[in-house]
């Protein structure tokens, strides 16, 4: 085991360590990540990826990527490709790449074996009849009238199901287990259903498709997976997982369950996220508000911050709700160390320095990252006309307002002290610009006479500014706990109407024209931002706010 494994292991890593110590499977560790290619990966999948690939890495084992592609109607190659891209971006790579559909011939053979052993039969009841016959937790199920079909009849019908002789829903193949089992999953579960559907890999070769429970465990077994890790909902499926492996006498994979990730303000289901995409509520799967891996990437999240987050939340068997702030703080912590600082004015107010010579400009030294000296300095142009944030000026300022106000002095970041002498307004009384004077003696932010100012504000030279669009993102869901949203169409009511605010004509310091997507930048006092990979052009970078400098929701809700 490598050194970067925490000394206190989570319960799954403990099981793996114990198995290695006991020599189970000769000490071999083989995991897999088994997404269904029916959507893009979300942050919940990142937890599973970090766990499965992480265990393989830490214990000298292997991790496969297996597409659980048994549901042709919902699956697509677009998803197969995006899933691979996202896993790699997260910093992981698989040992073997598999598709459950590659196992269709073997799964079919095994189903015939089960029929021959009297352990599977073709049921010709309707879906509703089958459901009704299953019983409940307190009422045992009733046996299907087709349960006693002979082996020959079953083999014949199953072969004809495969050959395409029947319509969808005409027959299913069921395991013959126990209709009175206390485990509902064991009451003659379905193995195959008829679906005349085109599969993105097998084309029209098959018109019967295996159910998840039948395909999953057998795929694990074929790949000799030692630790098959899944989320807690599948705990009730485990008796069936073991039953198939036992009856078929094949490699004994074992299933272990952990609690899924639920995050505040996040929908965590591919199906629901697809609804948002299809309804046009968001700009695709990679909309920066989406909790998808590609959404987080476009938003400016780093792979390392997502991995740190997964490590921090740990792996348990208790279902809970993790605060989005934990993920945000993981990113803030990293970007504070790594992101270079720049100045940008999002809501500009013009300032004219009346005592600064017309036509003159100069370059001021600015530190790129006070947390990292090696990032050095850059030069920021300064001149007679500047922009400051509207918020940084108040005409009737209270005493404790330490920014700019009539007659008061403030420090310009990396620049001079300025004093507001005159407020210029239009005919409607709106403030259009400020006339200020600067003190040439205060270059670098200190007055030789020891005079102090309390506030420092950011600014951008009007002559040199990049004029562009900046998008401020907030949570897509106003509702804190997504589980509170009723099933159905009501998710629209739960959306945050202010999840995207687009600001035009923002003023950015000129060095930002070289920013590239994926490079996090702190706009001083405003937050971390990144160039949007889709909306930007080389002349006109559009910026996304990745995260604010501090958490504002916790403050809001505790007020
Ligand atoms: P969805 O409902 O979003 O489609 P899923 O569980 O059906 O989720 P799969 O593609 O089948 O998605 O999942 C691949 C793996 O990721 C599974 O092992 C699953 O348990 C795991 N996984 C999915 N969602 C989460 C989550 N929220 N937290 C942790 N693991 C998850
Ligand atoms: Mg699924």
């Amino acid at each position: 085991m490598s050194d970067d494994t925490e000394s206190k292991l989570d319960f799954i890593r403990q099981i793996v360590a114990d198995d290695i110590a006991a020599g189970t499977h000769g000490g071999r560790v083989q995991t897999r990540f088994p997404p269904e290619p029916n959507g893009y990966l979300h942050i919940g999948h990142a937890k599973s990826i970090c766990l499965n690939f992480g265990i393989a890495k830490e214990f000298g084992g292997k991790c496969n990527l297996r597409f659980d592609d048994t549901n042709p109607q919902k699956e697509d190659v677009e998803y197969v490709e995006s899933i691979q891209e996202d896993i790699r971006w997260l910093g992981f790579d698989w040992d073997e790449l598999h598709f459950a559909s590659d196992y269709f011939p073997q799964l079919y053979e095994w189903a015939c074996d089960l029929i021959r052993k009297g352990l599977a039969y073709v049921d010709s009841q309707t879906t509703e009849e089958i459901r009704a016959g299953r019983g409940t937790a307190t009422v045992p199920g009733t046996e299907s009238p087709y349960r006693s079909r002979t082996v020959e009849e079953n083999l014949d019908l199953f072969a004809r199901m495969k050959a395409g002789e029947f319509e969808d829903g005409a027959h299913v193949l069921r395991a013959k287990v126990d209709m009175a089992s206390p485990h509902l999953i064991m009451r003659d579960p379905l193995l195959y259903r008829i679906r005349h559907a085109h599969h993105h890999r097998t084309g029209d070769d098959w018109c019967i498709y295996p159910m998840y429970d039948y395909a999953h465990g057998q795929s694990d077994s074929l790949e000799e997976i030692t630790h098959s890790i899944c989320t807690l909902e599948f705990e009730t499926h485990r008796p069936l997982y073991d039953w198939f492996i036992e009856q078929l006498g094949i490699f004994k994979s074992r299933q272990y369950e952990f609690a899924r990730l639920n995050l505040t303000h996040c929908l965590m289901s591919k199906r629901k996220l697809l609804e948002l995409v299809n309804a046009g509520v968001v700009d695709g799967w990679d909309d920066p508000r989406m909790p998808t891996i590609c959404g987080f990437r476009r938003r400016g999240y780093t792979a390392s911050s997502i991995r740190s987050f997964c490590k921090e939340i740990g792996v348990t068997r208790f279902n809970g709700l993790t605060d989005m702030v934990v993920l945000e703080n993981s990113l803030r912590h990293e970007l504070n160390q790594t992101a270079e600082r720049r100045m940008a004015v999002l809501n500009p107010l013009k300032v004219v320095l009346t005592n600064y010579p017309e036509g003159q400009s100069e370059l001021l030294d600015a530190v790129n990252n006070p947390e990292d000296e090696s990032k050095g300095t850059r030069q920021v142009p300064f001149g007679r006309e500047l922009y400051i944030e509207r918020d940084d000026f108040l005409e009737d300022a209270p005493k404790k307002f330490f920014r700019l106000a009539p007659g008061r002095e403030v420090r310009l970041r990396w620049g001079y002290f300025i004093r507001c002498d005159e407020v210029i307004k239009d005919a409607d009384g709106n403030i259009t610009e400020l006339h200020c004077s600067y003190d040439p003696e205060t270059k670098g932010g200190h007055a030789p006479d020891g005079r102090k100012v309390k506030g420092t504000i950011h600014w951008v030279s009007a002559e040199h500014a990049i004029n562009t669009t900046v998008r401020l993102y907030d949570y897509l869901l106003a509702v804190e706990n997504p589980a509170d949203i009723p099933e159905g169409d009501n998710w629209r009511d739960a959306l945050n109407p202010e999840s995207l605010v687009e600001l035009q004509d923002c003023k950015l310091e000129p060095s930002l024209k070289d920013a590239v997507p994926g490079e996090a930048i702190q706009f001083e006092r405003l937050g971390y931002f990144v160039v949007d990979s889709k909306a930007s052009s080389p002349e006109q970078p559009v910026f996304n706010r990745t995260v604010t400098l501090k958490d504002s929701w916790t403050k809001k809700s505790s007020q």
Side-chain angles (χ1 to χ4, degrees):
M1 200 168 63
S2 63
D3 295 340
D4 59 1
T5 309
E6 304 273 300
S7 52
K8 174 94 180 66
L9 300 177
D10 62 59
F11 81 98
I12 293 190
R13 285 178 167 86
Q14 189 61 55
I15 290 169
V16 173
D18 291 347
D19 281 345
I20 292 174
T24 314
H25 305 300
R28 191 175 59 84
V29 175
Q30 173 76 63
T31 57
R32 87 287 173 263
F33 174 64
E36 185 182 351
N38 62 346
Y40 283 62
L41 296 181
H42 51 63
I43 185 78
H45 294 111
K47 179 176 180 180
S48 175
I49 290 170
C50 287
L51 183 59
N52 280 295
F53 287 94
I55 285 177
K57 217 179 214 170
E58 292 154 28
F59 292 91
K62 292 183 170 172
C63 182
N64 293 349
L65 169 59
R66 180 171 72 239
F67 287 101
D68 219 335
D69 55 349
T70 56
N71 220 342
Q73 285 138 319
K74 295 183 178 158
E75 297 164 3
D76 199 276
V77 279
E78 176 192 349
Y79 303 136
V80 170
E81 281 161 14
S82 74
I83 287 171
Q84 299 185 54
E85 182 185 353
D86 289 347
I87 296 172
R88 289 210 170 100
W89 179 78
L90 275 174
F92 298 103
D93 205 354
W94 43 94
D95 286 279
E96 292 170 20
L97 173 65
H98 292 291
F99 292 82
S101 55
D102 291 344
Y103 306 138
F104 284 170
Q106 176 65 76
L107 293 171
Y108 178 81
E109 285 310 316
W110 279 337
C112 294
D113 288 348
L114 291 174
I115 293 175
R116 281 184 214 102
K117 290 181 181 173
L119 295 172
Y121 62 97
V122 173
D123 194 349
S124 309
Q125 294 184 100
T126 62
T127 312
E128 292 69 38
E129 286 166 340
I130 291 174
R131 193 176 301 132
R134 193 151 271 154
T136 64
T138 48
V139 180
T142 46
E143 295 188 352
S144 163
Y146 303 97
R147 203 174 194 258
S148 52
R149 277 179 166 151
T150 63
V151 168
E152 288 66 35
E153 195 181 356
N154 282 319
L155 283 174
D156 173 63
L157 278 171
F158 189 46
R160 287 164 58 200
M161 279 167 66
K162 175 176 182 281
E165 283 189 29
F166 308 112
E167 297 291 305
D168 288 8
H171 309 281
V172 293
L173 186 72
R174 293 179 78 173
K176 193 188 280 189
V177 193
D178 178 5
M179 288 308 289
S181 171
H183 303 293
L184 285 169
I185 195 96
M186 302 302 276
R187 296 184 186 172
D188 291 10
L190 267 57
L191 271 66
Y192 275 89
R193 69 263 198 251
I194 302 173
R195 285 273 181 287
H196 289 271
H198 188 82
H199 187 281
H200 63 100
R201 281 179 61 84
T202 58
D204 298 317
D205 290 355
W206 295 85
C207 63
I208 54 169
Y209 289 95
M211 303 299 289
Y212 170 89
D213 282 314
Y214 178 63
H216 196 86
Q218 278 51 261
S219 302
D220 282 344
S221 178
L222 281 165
E223 294 172 27
E224 304 204 336
I225 302 297
T226 55
H227 300 82
S228 173
I229 303 166
C230 62
T231 45
L232 277 174
E233 313 87 86
F234 291 96
E235 186 174 14
T236 52
H237 298 233
R238 189 166 5 115
L240 182 58
Y241 183 100
D242 292 339
W243 188 86
F244 282 129
I245 285 179
E246 191 65 37
Q247 301 307 325
L248 292 167
I250 55 180
F251 178 86
K252 277 202 173 64
S253 297
R254 283 207 54 184
Q255 176 183 300
Y256 302 93
E257 308 89 16
F258 71 102
R260 61 189 290 116
L261 171 67
N262 297 305
L263 261 188
T264 57
H265 303 286
C266 274
L267 286 175
M268 204 80 87
S269 136
K270 285 184 246 131
R271 181 175 60 76
K272 290 181 185 160
L273 295 175
L274 177 63
E275 273 178 45
L276 293 178
V277 172
N278 286 343
V281 171
V282 292
D283 168 30
W285 284 96
D286 66 349
D287 185 291
R289 293 164 292 177
M290 289 281 270
T292 49
I293 305 296
C294 56
F296 280 115
R297 178 164 67 230
R298 187 168 158 202
R299 175 82 172 252
Y301 271 74
T302 62
S304 47
S305 68
I306 294 176
R307 291 197 305 267
S308 310
F309 164 73
C310 290
K311 195 166 184 178
E312 186 178 344
I313 56 173
V315 179
T316 70
R317 283 180 58 86
F318 304 103
N319 275 321
L321 179 64
T322 302
D323 200 317
M324 187 63 191
V325 172
V326 180
L327 176 59
E328 292 173 353
N329 282 343
S330 167
L331 182 70
R332 288 186 180 109
H333 181 75
E334 179 183 319
L335 295 187
N336 183 43
Q337 306 297 318
T338 58
E340 292 203 3
R341 275 56 167 173
R342 293 292 182 266
M343 291 197 286
V345 173
L346 302 189
N347 195 2
L349 173 60
K350 169 104 52 86
V351 165
V352 180
L353 302 177
T354 51
N355 62 337
Y356 193 92
E358 292 212 31
Q360 187 175 310
S361 69
E362 64 188 291
L363 293 170
L364 299 175
D365 283 330
V367 172
N368 283 331
N369 185 350
E371 302 289 325
D372 182 355
E373 231 178 89
S374 72
K375 290 286 163 63
T377 58
R378 69 187 184 286
Q379 295 199 304
V380 188
F382 181 83
R384 183 180 156 89
E385 297 198 349
L386 311 171
Y387 291 109
I388 65 166
E389 283 312 329
R390 269 184 187 270
D391 277 1
D392 283 336
F393 175 77
L394 265 189
E395 198 170 12
D396 295 309
K399 216 161 180 271
K400 290 242 148 133
F401 185 78
F402 297 129
R403 292 166 273 169
L404 198 59
R408 294 198 203 171
E409 207 172 32
V410 76
R411 178 190 292 109
L412 294 180
R413 181 78 158 149
W414 312 118
Y416 298 90
F417 289 6
I418 61 168
R419 180 185 305 278
C420 176
D421 305 319
E422 197 183 350
V423 180
I424 313 296
K425 296 181 181 177
D426 65 14
D428 300 327
N430 302 310
I431 300 172
T432 53
E433 59 182 52
L434 303 177
H435 286 180
C436 299
S437 45
Y438 88 112
D439 179 353
E441 300 297 318
T442 56
K443 186 167 180 171
H446 301 284
D449 63 2
R451 184 168 101 245
K452 299 271 184 250
V453 287
K454 282 229 164 104
T456 302
I457 63 172
H458 60 275
W459 53 275
V460 169
S461 161
E463 184 195 341
H464 306 92
I466 301 172
N467 193 60
T468 192
T469 302
V470 175
R471 297 156 167 178
L472 305 183
Y473 292 103
D474 202 342
Y475 300 140
L476 198 51
L477 291 185
V479 173
E480 182 172 67
N481 188 351
D484 293 343
I485 304 172
E487 279 292 321
D489 277 334
N490 301 326
W491 52 263
R492 277 177 188 274
D493 301 338
L495 296 176
N496 173 9
E498 285 161 29
S499 63
L500 169 58
V501 175
E502 198 166 85
L503 302 174
Q504 314 288 345
D505 294 324
C506 302
K507 309 295 179 182
L508 274 48
E509 73 165 74
S511 68
L512 284 167
K513 77 172 186 324
D514 300 325
V516 290
E519 175 193 7
I521 295 162
Q522 185 190 108
F523 288 180
E524 295 220 35
R525 301 173 64 223
L526 297 175
Y528 295 99
F529 291 75
V530 74
V531 173
D532 188 87
S533 51
K534 281 194 172 162
S536 300
S537 67
E539 304 75 45
Q540 187 97 27
V542 169
F543 279 85
N544 296 332
R545 184 173 67 196
T546 310
V547 68
T548 52
L549 292 179
K550 293 196 187 95
D551 157 39
S552 56
W553 275 75
T554 310
K555 268 186 278 154
K556 254 190 242 173
S557 49
S558 61
Q559 265 166 13

